[in-house]
Amino acid sequence: MHDEQPIDFAPTLEAITSFLPLNLQRPNLGIICGSGLSGLAEDFRQVVIVPYEMIPGFGHSSVPGHKSALAFGLLGPGEGVPVVAMLGRFHPYEGHSMSTVIFPVRVMAKLGIKDLIITNAAGSLNPNIPVGTRKSFLVVIQDHIALPNLTGMNPLLGPQISSDVPRFLPLSNAYSPSLRRLAFLAAHQLSLDRSALAEGTYAWVSGPTYETPAEGRLLRNAGADVVGMSTIPEVLAAREAGLKVMVLSLVTNFVVIPNEYRSLREEVEAELSGKPIEIPVVQTVSHEEVLLIGKEKATVMMKLVEKVVELLPVG
Ligand SMILES: O=P(O)(O)O[C@H]1O[C@H](CO)[C@@H](O)[C@H]1O
């Protein structure tokens, strides 16, 4: 599952830079586009697309709604800031090893990025965080609960990639307060409704199954606000490399968390007594729904990210 050999980044970095003009070779900022959110790179200027298949060490992103390429370009006013975006990520549930999942973040760090904005689609566990239908609902992540990390599947298990990275990475300040502040400032400057942007805790699960109601309750009771199958491996790799991280979740669905199960015994008894009770329709989530909301709301996410870039301190 984990590489034992020291990682040789040189072939990857050479392959990538061979596609790029000089002014795009040292991006300041990385962006990871979650499910249905690859449109975040649509406003890049002087854009150069590098397909993952041309990059040694990169996998293939097989999930619908994830393209499989890096986009380089300029974002923001004036000359613009050089940025790199992952149009599609790798998830462990696709069969990628953890080292493949986090490799692109390590590569972006080697390319010189200082800040990383990670986006994802996520399910809401918190009744106060509605799905992004009418109001575009985004959550600035302030903390996480990573069940895989607590159960022996931490993405950083294995030999240290170099002696410069911490063996024991602290995570008490994993989500940069300065970048999170910028998200709220950006929302204000864009006149977004106050309720469009919440703060919350992301629960990482391995997927690919969505949560059972009991699992949803467990995560909610543990203090999570949204849940998803990505992001945390990237956060860990980024923090290991000393990057500042901001995570934005687009809430695409509710995780069904009934407090009580309907009693099938009562239903059967009512039926037998000739007075059937109305059976409620049980909601289910699908990836199509996740992509639909992503499609509808990617523009707001894009505007917010662009505003954050505009507000980033220079240098
Ligand atoms: O987290 P991203 O990649 O945005 O995608 C989310 O959407 C997919 C499930 O619909 C899962 O991959 C989940 O993690």
Side-chain angles (χ1 to χ4, degrees):
M1 183 165 119
H2 294 274
D3 297 332
E4 297 293 324
Q5 301 292 327
I7 304 171
D8 182 8
F9 289 95
T12 307
L13 298 174
E14 274 164 29
I16 292 173
T17 41
S18 72
F19 286 91
L20 302 174
L22 215 54
N23 65 334
L24 297 182
Q25 286 182 4
R26 300 276 309 161
N28 292 2
L29 169 78
I31 302 172
I32 301 181
C33 303
S35 283
L37 295 168
S38 288
L40 290 178
E42 265 167 22
D43 283 355
F44 287 7
R45 302 191 299 281
Q46 213 185 306
V47 66
V48 177
I49 303 286
V50 185
Y52 290 165
E53 61 196 347
M54 312 295 275
I55 310 177
F58 272 51
H60 172 75
S61 185
S62 65
V63 183
H66 289 256
K67 296 181 182 164
S68 236
L70 288 181
F72 288 81
L74 299 170
L75 200 57
E79 269 181 29
V81 179
V83 291
V84 51
M86 287 180 66
L87 309 183
R89 57 156 55 95
F90 309 129
H91 307 83
Y93 65 75
E94 295 171 77
H96 295 300
S97 67
M98 288 292 189
S99 48
T100 300
V101 170
I102 60 183
F103 186 64
V105 173
R106 288 175 164 167
V107 170
M108 290 193 285
K110 294 274 177 206
L111 285 170
I113 67 164
K114 298 284 175 279
D115 300 314
L116 179 63
I117 299 179
I118 303 177
T119 68
N120 60 50
S124 174
L125 298 158
N126 180 341
N128 296 321
I129 300 187
V131 176
T133 41
R134 272 156 298 146
K135 292 180 179 174
S136 46
F137 226 96
L138 302 176
V139 183
V140 182
I141 300 303
Q142 61 190 8
D143 202 350
H144 72 231
I145 296 171
L147 289 182
N149 289 3
L150 301 178
T151 55
M153 277 178 57
N154 191 304
L156 300 183
L157 283 176
Q160 280 170 273
I161 57 159
S162 82
S163 53
D164 319 335
V165 302
R167 172 71 293 187
F168 301 106
L169 182 69
L171 291 177
S172 45
N173 60 350
Y175 299 88
S176 160
S178 58
L179 290 180
R180 280 154 53 206
R181 281 176 62 90
L182 287 190
F184 288 102
L185 203 59
H188 175 75
Q189 293 196 5
L190 291 169
S191 308
L192 289 187
D193 190 296
R194 189 174 183 278
S195 64
L197 196 62
E199 290 179 285
T201 294
Y202 181 95
W204 175 40
V205 294
S206 78
T209 46
Y210 292 109
E211 297 65 46
T212 65
E215 287 164 350
R217 275 200 302 277
L218 172 82
L219 296 172
R220 179 68 194 137
N221 288 336
D225 298 291
V226 291
V227 53
M229 307 170 194
S230 70
T231 299
I232 303 309
E234 298 150 1
V235 170
L236 301 192
R239 292 302 298 148
E240 183 188 60
L243 307 181
K244 283 208 261 173
V245 175
M246 177 168 78
V247 174
L248 289 174
S249 292
L250 174 66
V251 178
T252 53
N253 59 281
F254 270 121
V255 177
V256 179
I257 319 181
N259 287 323
E260 286 173 18
Y261 289 93
R262 67 181 222 262
S263 164
L264 289 183
R265 181 210 297 269
E266 278 169 22
E267 258 176 51
V268 171
E269 285 171 354
E271 236 170 76
L272 292 174
S273 70
K275 294 180 201 144
I277 355 183
E278 206 180 312
I279 302 170
V281 181
V282 179
Q283 291 172 344
T284 55
V285 54
S286 72
H287 191 58
E288 287 68 38
E289 181 188 350
V290 167
L291 291 183
L292 185 74
I293 301 294
K295 201 168 161 195
E296 282 176 8
K297 295 300 165 196
T299 327
V300 181
M301 180 83 101
M302 187 164 97
K303 287 210 168 77
L304 193 74
V305 169
E306 283 176 18
K307 192 49 114 179
V308 167
V309 173
E310 201 179 308
L311 295 172
L312 274 177
V314 187

